[in-house]
Amino acid sequence: MAAMDLFGRRWALRILWELREGPLGARALLARCEGLSSSVLYQRLRELTSSGIVAPSADGYELTPLGTALRDALRPLDEWAITWAQEQEQERNEQEPTET
């Protein structure tokens, strides 16, 4: 349950998502997460670091091996979300009235 508490915190999963392809500095993370304050970013990074999921690096912050395993575990959820979004869009398009 501790993992769900951590990942349920606002911005935690987004930060992990942004680190999926490699290290990023704090400024890059802030730029990619519009609306994220620097104080919340650093708080989440501390939490993710103390959990062993993220580590500081020469290039900013990066996923640890544990974080990489988490990223890989989340890929099916990402694929499901893409399919779901496409189905939702298709349903909306089908419900729109056609012009005559």
Side-chain angles (χ1 to χ4, degrees), residues 16-37:
L16 293 173
W17 178 254
E18 295 302 338
L19 293 173
R20 74 191 181 283
E21 294 179 0
L24 290 172
R27 284 188 182 174
L29 283 167
L30 284 170
R32 291 179 182 211
C33 300
E34 186 176 330
L36 172 62
S37 70

Side-chain angles (χ1 to χ4, degrees), residues 2-93:
M4 294 304 287
D5 290 338
L6 176 62
F7 303 139
R9 293 185 182 140
R10 189 165 184 169
W11 297 106
L13 285 175
R14 177 64 185 270
I15 292 166
L16 293 173
W17 178 254
E18 295 302 338
L19 293 173
R20 74 191 181 283
E21 294 179 0
L24 290 172
R27 284 188 182 174
L29 283 167
L30 284 170
R32 291 179 182 211
C33 300
E34 186 176 330
L36 172 62
S37 70
S38 60
S39 63
V40 172
L41 171 64
Y42 287 111
Q43 181 179 359
R44 292 299 171 265
L45 288 170
R46 279 191 302 275
E47 294 165 351
L48 293 166
T49 298
S50 69
S51 298
I53 297 168
V54 170
S57 73
D59 298 321
Y61 293 89
E62 64 185 353
L63 297 177
T64 63
L66 187 60
T68 300
L70 174 61
R71 178 201 64 201
D72 294 344
L74 290 174
R75 285 194 195 276
L77 179 59
D78 181 48
E79 292 168 7
W80 176 88
I82 291 168
T83 301
W84 175 80
Q86 290 169 343
E87 289 175 2
Q88 294 296 305
E89 182 66 24
Q90 183 178 0
E91 285 179 21
R92 279 192 295 276
N93 290 338

